[in-house]
Amino acid sequence: MATLTPLAKGLITVAVIAATVSVAWHLGLADKIKGMTSGNSSAPAAAGATTPASGDHPAATAPTSGSGPLGSAGNPLKVSLVSFHGYAPALVANGNSLTTQSGSIYEKQGLNVNFVIQDDIPTLSTIFEAGTAQCAWRTSDFWAQEQPNLRNANLDAKAVMVVDNTQGADAIIARDPNIRSVEDLAGKKIALLQYTPSHGMAIDAIDNSSLSARKKASVQYVFINADEGTAGVRATLESGNVDAAALWDPDLSLAINNAHAHVVYSTKTATNLIFDVMVCDSRVLSSSEGHAAVQKFVSGWMEGVKAARGNPDNAVEALINTEQYFQLLAKQQGKPFIKGLFGSLVWTGLEDNARILGLAGGTNHYERVYQRFDGIYRAAGALANPKSPVIPPQDSFDYSFIKSLLDQDHAAQTAAAIPQTTFTAAAQQQAIQSDSTATVTKPVVVNFAVGQSDLSKRSEKTIDETMVPFIENNGTAYFEVSGNSDSTGNHASNVALSQARARAVVDYLVAQWEFPRERFKAVGNGPDRPLCNESSPGIEGMTLEDCRAANRTTRVAVFSAK
């Protein structure tokens, strides 16, 4: 019998498959991130060491093995992956194999690729310096953590393509039916894996909520041991030891079923939040030979996306043929279970890359998310060296590979320009009903002159910098934009003025940012929906004036389409 890896042994010990398909996919493990030994980590530079400046590449040549040009049969391009269904297109492109097969997409591209499965997630410096691989997977948030550490090790890399986009595979879930929104997590315990997209998603959601600072601090994160993975997160929720959990498929789906849990917030709504990217050693990218090999690699992956979408059953077979995890999963849960996982993410083809990267004229969601998570994880203490340089998002991605393909593909250019979601007034009314609960509500201080509803330049800047990114995160959501007041003044006048101010904000979002008007409902609450009790502001640790200021905010409430 074949020797089982630790991952496979862990799977067999669980009665119902509990370990995640994507433990390694999402696992930006704290001990990996914070590794301090130069032999196996992206350790911070020693005192006095020189850190490469932004955009600099080390002069040394990347280690390789074999003979011939990179990508040839004698010297294949090596790519580090983990056991995850988001990478099925690459395996399909390689002929349902870890090594390039005759007649495969990559063989026709004139490229030989060896995929190396590394479920223990070595750091990039380990992978690159050992010559194990020239390219490796990373989630965009994990990459934002690791690139500064890589720079500290006198190395660098660039992402070269987005390979998948989770849309429902990550979620915050709860068993208590009274926990319906992010705000309901105040004073509750939420289990998750530290420094993973689940952690970042939870921080982002709570930061953007209408909870006061005191109530945000009351949310208790219960960090599960990394060795237990999302199976441990799920078990903790099922045991009743926590009120909620943040995790991803397949344990997300299992927890919903086994713990009778429900989704509070997920990437089905926050569709522009979590991406997987492929990262390649800058020493490879800076050579003409390496650049040419990576161009073929990106092109073949994009063709693999088309093939996998056209024949998802074959994509299932590719996973089963190449990864022991999926062999076990197929035996215990069946092939339809694996195929069902495909519905919670998007294999990002050329048109999706163009949209996500802002090459079709819209927002660059990748750069926005990279920058956002860099800030989140620095504040959370995830970086090995807190003084690591802040890397501009544009310096983390080499756009030339996707641009080269896009220039030759007019159909992809056209598809990228088509809105990903169609919004209608009818769907908005269905989503925002009188008995609907907002998933999360973000308060924004949009200043108006006394008694006026016209936006000032300062107010427009606030909307641009604070409100717009929140809307863009939640790519499929509808929003209730409400004007609010404190309790002073005439009630009827306050309601009318707050309604006019809400309309002014919506008009600006539609005119300046070209969001569909159908996504928004403008509401004037006046003083009727206070965030702070003005008769007892001390409960929230506020002065009366701070309490009233909180109540005067414009609010953006997120509603998922029914």
Side-chain angles (χ1 to χ4, degrees), residues 57 62 70 77-80 124 127-128 133-138 143 147 150 155-161 277-286 290-291 293-295 297-298 301 396-398 401:
H57 301 308
L70 185 63
L77 179 71
K78 295 185 289 294
V79 180
S80 175
L124 287 176
I127 293 170
F128 293 160
Q134 291 85 36
C135 301
W137 73 277
R138 284 301 183 259
W143 176 222
Q147 191 177 15
L150 194 64
L155 296 169
D156 202 2
K158 294 286 182 73
V160 297
M161 60 178 158
V277 296
M278 190 55 55
V279 173
C280 297
D281 190 331
S282 287
R283 293 171 295 183
V284 171
L285 300 180
S286 62
H291 194 280
V294 172
Q295 183 68 71
F297 173 56
V298 173
W301 195 304
S396 72
F397 205 105
D398 187 335
F401 303 101

Side-chain angles (χ1 to χ4, degrees), residues 2 5 29 37 52 74 84 114 131-132 142 168 185 310 400 471 484 514 522 537:
T5 64
L29 304 182
T37 58
F84 177 55
N114 280 4
T132 306
F142 190 178
L185 294 171
S400 64
I471 293 170
N484 301 272
E514 299 181 351

Side-chain angles (χ1 to χ4, degrees), residues 389-412:
V390 175
I391 299 173
Q394 62 269 26
D395 288 349
S396 72
F397 205 105
D398 187 335
Y399 293 93
S400 64
F401 303 101
I402 292 296
K403 285 182 177 179
S404 176
L405 296 176
L406 197 62
D407 287 343
Q408 305 169 45
D409 194 330
H410 296 294

